[in-house]
Amino acid sequence: MRLEQLYKSGKPEISVEFFPPKTPEGVAKLFGETIPHLNRIQPVYFSMTFGAGGTTRDLTIELCDRIKNEAKVETVCHLNIVGQSKEDTRENLRRIKAAGVYNLLALRGDPPKDRPDFKPHPDGFHSSVELVEEARKDPWFSIAVTGFPEVHPEAKDRSADMAYLKRKLEAGGRVIITQFFLDNAYFFEFMDLVKKAGITAPVVPGILPILSASQVRRFAALCGSTIPPAVEKELSKVENDEEGAIRYGIELATRMCGELIKSGVPGLHFYALNRSRSTSEILSNLNLA
Ligand SMILES: Cc1cc2nc3c(=O)[nH]c(=O)nc-3n(C[C@H](O)[C@H](O)[C@H](O)COP(=O)(O)OP(=O)(O)OC[C@H]3O[C@@H](n4cnc5c(N)ncnc54)[C@H](O)[C@@H]3O)c2cc1C
């Protein structure tokens, strides 16, 4: 189903994000275990990330093709523009279409770690808005864009961030998927501003089930997400305890998702990090699986 047709059922639609595994064994595990396991929760789609600078381009598109045509689950292909010419991007769009995939998450993407200030490729698109505009030229594509409940670290301020989000939607974005957050207050505050800005597109909160204390701290620093003191206190108790961290992650996300569902969110997008256990248990705790 196309993105603009989703999120109309009145029940929270579940989607799950993967990244391209680094090894053939990882790919085999994704298709042999993770996807069949998560298929039981009947996700509306699986999405696949697109490595910075197009580094996973072939694999991302190949895996989207397999999810759609072999596992027979709807797919959202992420696409970014960092380090790529316009022709590279147009080729990516052609190849995504050739795989039969019409749902895209249009991103600018992060610059390489050693060059943290984003500089567009000399012959490339300059922003996610330009990518949305390009993809929209072909009505085949249905486009999601990102939203940042805690404000993107590069934004001048919250209102500039919201103005940019509006531009992405005016360019043709149909659905917003958010960065992860560890306190629903950030999401609710963001939603107040989304409504005030007159944005009516579905806003799907991104949920990161914590898998380890060090990993979530790293991701939070990278993504500009705050670790609230109450969460930090719990993380410090499971510093070197993988099972304890996973269990805490499930408990926290269950609580957060329960409250988000009550508030009427149209869906939940899980950053599953290619694992199935936490997402399955959270949804089972919520009687959604
Ligand atoms: C759901 C989700 C999935 C993701 N998947 C991937 C992935 O597959 N691959 C990957 O590399 N990264 C991915 N990321 C990370 C993402 O690339 C980073 O968060 C990045 O820093 C910005 O995201 P973007 O490209 O969508 O941002 P954009 O919205 O394009 O830019 C981020 C912010 O910078 C400001 N900004 C940017 N350009 C302009 C401009 N021209 N004028 C004014 N303000 C501007 C705005 O405040 C904007 O909100 C994902 C993020 C999310 C939330």
Side-chain angles (χ1 to χ4, degrees):
M1 201 182 273
R2 295 172 65 82
L3 284 162
E4 62 263 31
Q5 288 154 355
L6 286 172
Y7 307 114
K8 290 187 171 163
S9 69
K11 67 175 176 58
E13 306 285 15
I14 306 305
S15 54
V16 182
E17 176 172 319
F18 300 130
F19 60 85
K22 288 198 172 60
T23 61
E25 294 74 30
V27 173
K29 188 164 180 232
L30 185 66
F31 282 89
E33 282 177 33
T34 315
I35 287 181
H37 192 198
L38 285 169
N39 250 339
R40 289 186 221 139
I41 61 176
Q42 298 188 304
V44 282
Y45 60 80
F46 290 127
S47 82
M48 187 59 70
T49 65
F50 195 91
T55 43
T56 66
R57 151 181 144 148
D58 291 348
L59 191 54
T60 294
I61 299 173
E62 181 193 321
L63 296 176
C64 285
D65 185 344
R66 286 188 62 187
I67 291 171
K68 173 121 188 161
N69 300 306
E70 207 178 289
K72 308 270 182 222
V73 182
E74 195 51 85
T75 310
V76 172
C77 187
H78 298 208
L79 182 60
N80 64 33
I81 54 165
V82 173
Q84 296 156 86
S85 68
K86 287 185 182 165
E87 198 35 48
D88 292 335
T89 298
R90 292 189 181 116
E91 176 62 13
N92 292 336
L93 289 167
R94 279 193 287 276
R95 291 178 57 191
I96 292 167
K97 183 173 180 178
V101 173
Y102 37 73
N103 291 324
L104 283 183
L105 174 61
L107 302 141
R108 184 201 68 190
D110 279 325
K113 283 190 190 69
D114 52 337
R115 276 174 285 136
D117 295 329
F118 173 73
K119 294 256 179 344
H121 184 286
D123 301 316
F125 293 107
H126 285 209
S127 65
S128 52
V129 165
E130 288 189 3
L131 173 59
V132 174
E133 284 167 351
E134 179 65 22
R136 281 299 290 175
K137 287 182 189 163
D138 186 344
W140 167 264
F141 291 111
S142 177
I143 304 166
V145 295
T146 52
F148 298 92
E150 293 189 60
V151 183
H152 189 275
E154 287 169 52
K156 196 164 86 212
D157 54 31
R158 190 179 268 290
S159 72
D161 209 30
M162 192 54 67
Y164 193 72
L165 175 60
K166 236 183 146 176
R167 283 181 59 200
K168 292 194 282 188
L169 298 166
E170 282 159 7
R174 293 285 171 258
V175 168
I176 300 162
I177 306 175
T178 81
Q179 187 56 275
F180 82 91
F181 47 90
L182 295 169
D183 183 337
N184 285 342
Y186 294 115
F187 181 79
F188 296 141
E189 195 187 336
F190 175 71
M191 285 310 297
D192 284 345
L193 295 171
V194 162
K195 281 180 197 137
K196 276 194 192 123
I199 292 171
T200 53
V203 182
V204 183
I207 307 297
L208 177 75
I210 292 171
L211 297 179
S212 97
S214 56
Q215 184 192 54
V216 71
R217 288 196 193 104
R218 201 170 66 246
F219 287 171
L222 212 69
C223 300
S225 303
T226 303
I227 301 194
V231 173
E232 185 50 56
K233 190 171 162 205
E234 294 305 315
L235 290 180
S236 66
K237 294 182 196 162
V238 292
E239 208 66 65
N240 297 306
D241 171 7
E242 194 187 326
E243 176 61 20
I246 292 173
R247 288 163 73 97
Y248 170 61
I250 292 170
E251 181 204 312
L252 175 66
T254 300
R255 245 185 298 125
M256 288 177 64
C257 291
E259 207 178 280
L260 289 165
I261 291 169
K262 255 199 203 151
S263 79
V265 292
L268 297 166
H269 182 75
F270 284 90
Y271 296 109
L273 304 174
N274 292 4
R275 313 262 195 107
S276 59
R277 172 184 164 190
S278 300
T279 303
S280 300
E281 285 193 27
I282 293 159
L283 293 171
S284 155
N285 291 344
L286 295 163
N287 295 321
L288 290 173

